[in-house]
Amino acid sequence: MDRPFENKVVIVTGGSRGIGRAIVERFAAGGARVFFTFHQREDEAEKVAAACGAEKIQCAQADAAGIDAAVQHVVATAGRIDVLVNNAGITRDNWLMLMPADDWNKVLDTNIGGAFRWCKAVSRVMLGARAGIIINIASISGLTGVAGQTNYCASKGALLAFSRALAAELGVRGIRVNAVVPGFIETDMTAKVPKPIRDQNLQRILVKRFGKPAEVAGTVAFLASDDASYIMGQTIVVDGGLTAAVA
């Protein structure tokens, strides 16, 4: 079996389900030593760890000290960090006029604040090695306006800008930074979307189906591979043509 990530050390945030789980499984199948974080779903995290041999780490996106400790644990255990995938994120959808300030702050602090904390902690290790790969998982909500998601759209749009700026900072030091933008992917999160909205999106998707977590994981794996060694500071959209379609 092809094992392109043999001897590589990978951290995936939010790896207990959905797209994050698929990314963990893809890297583990490719031979990597994978560490992934979870916040509350320890039962789901344990299933992932048992299934593919990855190591789970309980850590909140807002816990800067916990993130630093997690990074130190990975380095102490595995000796290095080759890839960071910032996948963890939340939604708190509501109309802006009804949105509690706490829901705005929580989404921004988790989705973009968490990525900042992880990148800051991991970049110290990668800068010392003058090598590394950072892949930030955004959303088409960061490219297009979605009613009722001002907080989520703002966080994912900020993550795309953050990725480009970080690429400009770290690229000359041997660290590649890119972003992946999933479209409508079949996960627990999208399963909660009302059927009329799901149907409306399905009509706009050029391939006429929703995506699978494994398809996003495949894109992430490509960006982490040597085949993507000349790709830097880019936004790769994986949406079946949703954002390309003309209404």
Side-chain angles (χ1 to χ4, degrees), residues 180-191:
V180 173
V181 177
F184 209 109
I185 309 298
E186 288 286 11
T187 64
D188 292 345
M189 185 181 293
T190 57

Side-chain angles (χ1 to χ4, degrees), residues 36-150:
F36 71 93
T37 70
F38 72 99
H39 185 204
Q40 295 176 320
R41 299 171 180 268
E42 187 164 12
D43 56 336
E44 293 297 322
E46 184 56 42
K47 291 177 184 177
V48 177
C52 63
E55 181 177 331
K56 68 184 193 311
I57 301 173
Q58 188 168 19
C59 186
Q61 289 287 92
D63 183 2
I67 290 170
D68 286 341
V71 169
Q72 292 169 15
H73 167 72
V74 172
V75 173
T77 303
R80 57 193 290 172
I81 299 172
D82 297 291
V83 181
L84 167 67
V85 181
N86 276 308
N87 169 74
I90 62 170
T91 59
R92 293 289 188 275
D93 296 350
N94 207 336
W95 301 112
L96 180 64
M97 68 177 68
L98 301 175
M99 184 179 293
D102 186 60
D103 284 356
W104 172 272
N105 294 332
K106 182 71 172 179
V107 169
L108 270 290
D109 193 47
T110 299
N111 297 357
I112 184 63
F116 156 73
R117 296 180 190 100
W118 276 102
C119 287
K120 183 177 181 179
V122 167
S123 65
R124 296 189 185 106
V125 179
M126 292 182 174
L127 285 168
R130 294 194 70 83
I133 296 165
I134 296 173
I135 301 168
N136 295 319
I137 308 300
S139 166
I140 57 169
S141 295
L143 297 175
T144 63
V146 180
Q149 284 197 328
T150 52

Side-chain angles (χ1 to χ4, degrees), residues 11 50 79 86 110 131 166 179 193 209-210 235:
I11 297 176
N86 276 308
T110 299
L166 191 61
V193 175
R209 67 173 177 84
F210 298 135
T235 298

Side-chain angles (χ1 to χ4, degrees), residues 12-37:
V12 180
T13 69
S16 63
R17 58 187 179 130
I19 292 172
R21 176 172 183 164
I23 293 169
V24 170
E25 292 172 341
R26 181 62 177 257
F27 277 115
R33 183 168 186 180
V34 184
F35 298 80
F36 71 93
T37 70

